[in-house]
Protein backbone atom coordinates (compact mmCIF):
# COMPACT_ATOMS: atom_id res chain seq x y z
CA UNK A 1 0.00 0.00 0.00
CA UNK A 2 1.18 3.52 -0.79
CA UNK A 3 1.05 4.69 2.85
CA UNK A 4 1.58 2.45 5.86
CA UNK A 5 -1.43 1.53 7.99
CA UNK A 6 -0.21 2.78 11.38
CA UNK A 7 -3.40 2.32 13.40
CA UNK A 8 -6.07 -0.34 13.04
CA UNK A 9 -9.80 -0.13 13.62
CA UNK A 10 -10.83 -1.17 17.13
CA UNK A 11 -7.31 -1.34 18.57
CA UNK A 12 -6.72 -0.23 22.16
CA UNK A 13 -4.06 2.32 23.08
CA UNK A 14 -3.21 4.55 26.06
CA UNK A 15 -3.14 7.47 23.60
CA UNK A 16 -6.93 7.07 23.35
CA UNK A 17 -7.40 6.21 27.04
CA UNK A 18 -7.82 2.55 26.07
CA UNK A 19 -10.97 3.31 24.09
CA UNK A 20 -11.39 1.26 20.88
CA UNK A 21 -10.07 3.09 17.84
CA UNK A 22 -13.03 4.41 15.85
CA UNK A 23 -11.18 4.39 12.53
CA UNK A 24 -7.82 3.69 10.93
CA UNK A 25 -4.60 5.70 10.74
CA UNK A 26 -2.44 6.14 7.66
CA UNK A 27 1.14 7.34 8.14
CA UNK A 28 0.98 10.22 5.66
CA UNK A 29 3.65 12.97 5.78
CA UNK A 30 2.51 16.41 6.87
CA UNK A 31 1.02 18.69 4.24
CA UNK A 32 0.26 15.86 1.82
CA UNK A 33 -2.80 16.45 -0.34
CA UNK A 34 -5.97 14.73 0.87
CA UNK A 35 -8.91 13.96 -1.39
CA UNK A 36 -12.50 12.89 -0.95
CA UNK A 37 -13.11 9.14 -0.94
CA UNK A 38 -16.51 9.65 -2.57
CA UNK A 39 -19.14 12.10 -3.76
CA UNK A 40 -20.94 13.89 -0.97
CA UNK A 41 -21.47 17.05 1.06
CA UNK A 42 -19.25 18.47 3.79
CA UNK A 43 -21.49 18.32 6.85
CA UNK A 44 -18.97 19.21 9.54
CA UNK A 45 -15.59 20.90 9.88
CA UNK A 46 -13.40 20.37 12.94
CA UNK A 47 -11.43 23.48 13.81
CA UNK A 48 -8.76 21.83 15.95
CA UNK A 49 -10.00 22.06 19.53
CA UNK A 50 -10.87 18.38 20.01
CA UNK A 51 -8.75 15.21 20.06
CA UNK A 52 -9.26 14.75 16.32
CA UNK A 53 -7.63 18.11 15.62
CA UNK A 54 -8.48 19.81 12.36
CA UNK A 55 -10.61 17.77 10.01
CA UNK A 56 -13.97 17.31 8.38
CA UNK A 57 -16.87 14.95 7.81
CA UNK A 58 -18.35 14.11 4.41
CA UNK A 59 -21.93 12.83 4.18
CA UNK A 60 -22.63 10.56 1.22
CA UNK A 61 -25.94 10.03 -0.61
CA UNK A 62 -26.73 6.87 1.35
CA UNK A 63 -26.36 8.71 4.66
CA UNK A 64 -22.97 7.26 5.60
CA UNK A 65 -20.13 9.57 6.57
CA UNK A 66 -16.36 9.64 6.17
CA UNK A 67 -14.32 11.44 8.83
CA UNK A 68 -10.85 12.88 8.26
CA UNK A 69 -8.77 13.99 11.24
CA UNK A 70 -5.43 15.46 12.37
CA UNK A 71 -5.25 17.65 9.26
CA UNK A 72 -3.07 20.75 9.03
CA UNK A 73 -5.46 22.55 6.71
CA UNK A 74 -9.08 22.06 5.68
CA UNK A 75 -9.88 23.31 2.18
CA UNK A 76 -13.64 22.82 2.22
CA UNK A 77 -16.62 24.43 3.94
CA UNK A 78 -19.78 23.05 5.51
CA UNK A 79 -22.42 22.57 2.82
CA UNK A 80 -19.90 22.31 0.01
CA UNK A 81 -20.42 19.52 -2.55
CA UNK A 82 -17.33 17.43 -3.24
CA UNK A 83 -16.64 14.77 -5.84
CA UNK A 84 -14.52 11.65 -5.68
CA UNK A 85 -10.86 12.65 -5.74
CA UNK A 86 -11.51 16.33 -5.06
CA UNK A 87 -8.95 18.05 -2.83
CA UNK A 88 -10.32 18.66 0.67
CA UNK A 89 -7.19 19.63 2.60
CA UNK A 90 -3.69 18.78 3.78
CA UNK A 91 -2.63 16.04 6.17
CA UNK A 92 -1.00 16.99 9.42
CA UNK A 93 -0.37 16.31 13.08
CA UNK A 94 -3.01 18.35 14.90
CA UNK A 95 -5.08 17.34 17.90
CA UNK A 96 -4.30 14.30 20.04
CA UNK A 97 -1.59 12.92 17.77
CA UNK A 98 1.84 11.41 18.33
CA UNK A 99 3.08 11.87 14.77
CA UNK A 100 2.07 12.93 11.29
CA UNK A 101 -0.81 10.78 10.06
CA UNK A 102 -4.36 10.80 8.77
CA UNK A 103 -7.19 9.47 10.90
CA UNK A 104 -9.98 8.10 8.71
CA UNK A 105 -13.30 6.98 10.15
CA UNK A 106 -16.51 5.69 8.64
CA UNK A 107 -20.03 5.96 10.06
CA UNK A 108 -23.09 4.06 8.91
CA UNK A 109 -26.31 5.93 8.02
CA UNK A 110 -27.46 5.01 11.53
CA UNK A 111 -24.47 6.84 13.02
CA UNK A 112 -22.49 3.78 14.12
CA UNK A 113 -18.75 3.57 13.50
CA UNK A 114 -17.86 0.81 11.05
CA UNK A 115 -14.56 -0.67 9.94
CA UNK A 116 -13.11 1.45 7.10
CA UNK A 117 -10.19 -0.92 6.47
CA UNK A 118 -11.55 -2.13 3.08
CA UNK A 119 -11.18 1.46 1.84
CA UNK A 120 -7.62 1.92 3.13
CA UNK A 121 -5.85 1.15 -0.14
CA UNK A 122 -8.25 3.28 -2.19
CA UNK A 123 -7.78 6.14 0.28
CA UNK A 124 -3.99 5.80 0.14
CA UNK A 125 -3.99 5.77 -3.66
CA UNK A 126 -5.84 9.08 -3.94
CA UNK A 127 -3.78 10.77 -1.21
CA UNK A 128 -0.44 12.52 -1.59
CA UNK A 129 1.06 15.19 -3.79
CA UNK A 130 1.90 12.83 -6.67
CA UNK A 131 -1.70 12.13 -7.74
CA UNK A 132 -2.88 13.82 -10.94
CA UNK A 133 -6.34 14.02 -12.49
CA UNK A 134 -5.67 11.17 -14.90
CA UNK A 135 -4.89 8.89 -11.97
CA UNK A 136 -8.08 10.00 -10.22
CA UNK A 137 -10.16 9.06 -13.27
CA UNK A 138 -8.44 5.68 -13.49
CA UNK A 139 -8.79 4.99 -9.77
CA UNK A 140 -12.41 6.05 -9.64
CA UNK A 141 -13.98 3.01 -11.28
CA UNK A 142 -16.97 3.19 -8.96
CA UNK A 143 -19.69 3.31 -11.62
CA UNK A 144 -21.79 5.59 -9.42
CA UNK A 145 -21.78 3.23 -6.45
CA UNK A 146 -22.32 4.66 -3.00
CA UNK A 147 -19.66 4.25 -0.34
CA UNK A 148 -21.73 1.56 1.40
CA UNK A 149 -22.16 -0.37 -1.86
CA UNK A 150 -18.44 -0.13 -2.61
CA UNK A 151 -17.56 -1.44 0.85
CA UNK A 152 -20.11 -4.25 0.50
CA UNK A 153 -18.67 -5.21 -2.89
CA UNK A 154 -15.16 -5.37 -1.43
CA UNK A 155 -16.36 -7.52 1.46
CA UNK A 156 -18.15 -9.85 -0.97
CA UNK A 157 -15.02 -10.25 -3.08
CA UNK A 158 -12.97 -11.10 0.01
CA UNK A 159 -15.56 -13.63 1.18
CA UNK A 160 -15.69 -15.28 -2.25
CA UNK A 161 -11.91 -15.49 -2.34
CA UNK A 162 -11.83 -17.17 1.07
CA UNK A 163 -14.57 -19.57 -0.04
CA UNK A 164 -12.63 -20.56 -3.16
CA UNK A 165 -9.49 -21.13 -1.12
CA UNK A 166 -11.35 -23.36 1.35
CA UNK A 167 -12.93 -25.31 -1.51
CA UNK A 168 -9.55 -25.96 -3.10
CA UNK A 169 -8.12 -26.96 0.28
CA UNK A 170 -10.92 -29.46 0.97
CA UNK A 171 -10.79 -31.00 -2.49
CA UNK A 172 -7.02 -31.26 -2.41
CA UNK A 173 -6.99 -32.74 1.09
CA UNK A 174 -9.47 -35.50 0.23
CA UNK A 175 -7.52 -36.50 -2.89
CA UNK A 176 -4.16 -36.52 -1.13
CA UNK A 177 -5.65 -38.41 1.80
CA UNK A 178 -7.13 -41.04 -0.52
CA UNK A 179 -3.79 -41.49 -2.27
CA UNK A 180 -1.99 -41.94 1.05
CA UNK A 181 -4.55 -44.50 2.22
CA UNK A 182 -4.22 -46.47 -1.02
CA UNK A 183 -0.46 -46.60 -0.48
CA UNK A 184 -1.06 -47.83 3.07
CA UNK A 185 -3.45 -50.46 1.72
CA UNK A 186 -0.75 -51.69 -0.65
CA UNK A 187 1.68 -51.69 2.27
CA UNK A 188 -0.59 -54.02 4.20
CA UNK A 189 -3.13 -51.95 6.13
CA UNK A 190 -6.36 -53.76 5.39
CA UNK A 191 -8.64 -50.80 6.19
CA UNK A 192 -6.72 -48.44 3.92
CA UNK A 193 -8.81 -49.24 0.87
CA UNK A 194 -12.09 -48.71 2.70
CA UNK A 195 -11.09 -45.31 4.05
CA UNK A 196 -9.63 -44.31 0.69
CA UNK A 197 -13.02 -45.05 -0.83
CA UNK A 198 -14.69 -42.86 1.78
CA UNK A 199 -12.42 -39.93 0.91
CA UNK A 200 -12.96 -40.40 -2.82
CA UNK A 201 -16.73 -40.35 -2.30
CA UNK A 202 -16.32 -37.26 -0.12
CA UNK A 203 -14.30 -35.60 -2.88
CA UNK A 204 -17.03 -36.30 -5.45
CA UNK A 205 -19.71 -34.99 -3.09
CA UNK A 206 -17.72 -31.82 -2.43
CA UNK A 207 -17.31 -31.23 -6.16
CA UNK A 208 -21.07 -31.67 -6.55
CA UNK A 209 -21.81 -29.26 -3.70
CA UNK A 210 -19.39 -26.67 -5.10
CA UNK A 211 -20.82 -27.01 -8.58
CA UNK A 212 -17.83 -28.80 -10.04
CA UNK A 213 -19.57 -31.93 -11.29
Amino acid sequence: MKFRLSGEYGELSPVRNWEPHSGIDLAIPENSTLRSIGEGVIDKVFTGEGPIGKGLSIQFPDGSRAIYGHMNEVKAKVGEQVNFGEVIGLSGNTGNSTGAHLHFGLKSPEGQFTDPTPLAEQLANISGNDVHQGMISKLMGWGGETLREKTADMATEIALGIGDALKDLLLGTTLVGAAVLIILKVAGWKDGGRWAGVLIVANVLLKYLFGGV
Side-chain angles (χ1 to χ4, degrees):
M1 192 162 63
K2 183 177 174 182
F3 295 110
R4 179 174 59 88
L5 187 68
S6 58
E8 298 182 0
Y9 176 76
E11 71 178 4
L12 303 177
S13 168
V15 175
R16 292 179 291 274
N17 296 318
W18 302 107
E19 293 291 329
H21 195 196
S22 61
I24 57 174
D25 293 334
L26 289 179
I28 299 180
E30 284 196 57
N31 297 317
S32 297
T33 303
L34 300 177
R35 296 174 173 83
S36 175
I37 194 69
E39 181 180 341
V41 177
I42 306 297
D43 71 323
K44 189 176 293 185
V45 169
F46 309 111
T47 56
E49 289 81 8
I52 201 170
K54 293 181 180 180
L56 52 77
S57 170
I58 305 172
Q59 182 173 12
F60 301 105
D62 65 353
S64 61
R65 289 176 170 83
I67 300 165
Y68 294 69
H70 306 305
M71 297 167 63
N72 273 355
E73 183 180 353
V74 176
K75 295 186 176 182
K77 299 177 181 179
V78 172
E80 183 178 341
Q81 177 80 29
V82 292
N83 297 314
F84 173 83
E86 187 170 336
V87 174
I88 55 174
L90 301 177
S91 62
N93 189 26
T94 59
N96 187 11
S97 173
T98 58
H101 73 283
L102 169 68
H103 169 85
F104 180 75
L106 193 63
K107 276 189 173 183
S108 69
E110 295 74 33
Q112 302 298 316
F113 282 108
T114 59
D115 186 1
T117 305
L119 296 173
E121 187 165 359
Q122 179 88 349
L123 179 66
N125 285 337
I126 63 172
S127 301
N129 302 328
D130 58 343
V131 181
H132 53 76
Q133 192 56 45
M135 290 176 65
I136 292 294
S137 299
K138 186 175 180 180
L139 289 168
M140 191 170 182
W142 281 35
E145 289 180 298
T146 64
L147 191 63
R148 170 180 272 188
E149 289 169 340
K150 183 65 176 178
T151 306
D153 288 345
M154 289 179 176
T156 300
E157 289 178 8
I158 292 171
L160 289 173
I162 293 173
D164 287 341
L166 288 174
K167 177 189 71 174
D168 292 340
L169 178 63
L170 287 171
L171 292 174
T173 300
T174 53
L175 283 178
V176 171
V180 170
L181 288 169
I182 290 171
I183 293 172
L184 291 175
K185 168 66 175 178
V186 173
W189 185 39
K190 62 180 181 179
D191 290 332
R194 178 162 59 91
W195 286 110
V198 170
L199 288 180
I200 291 172
V201 170
N203 182 269
V204 172
L205 288 174
L206 285 170
K207 285 183 178 179
Y208 177 78
L209 289 173
F210 289 129
V213 175

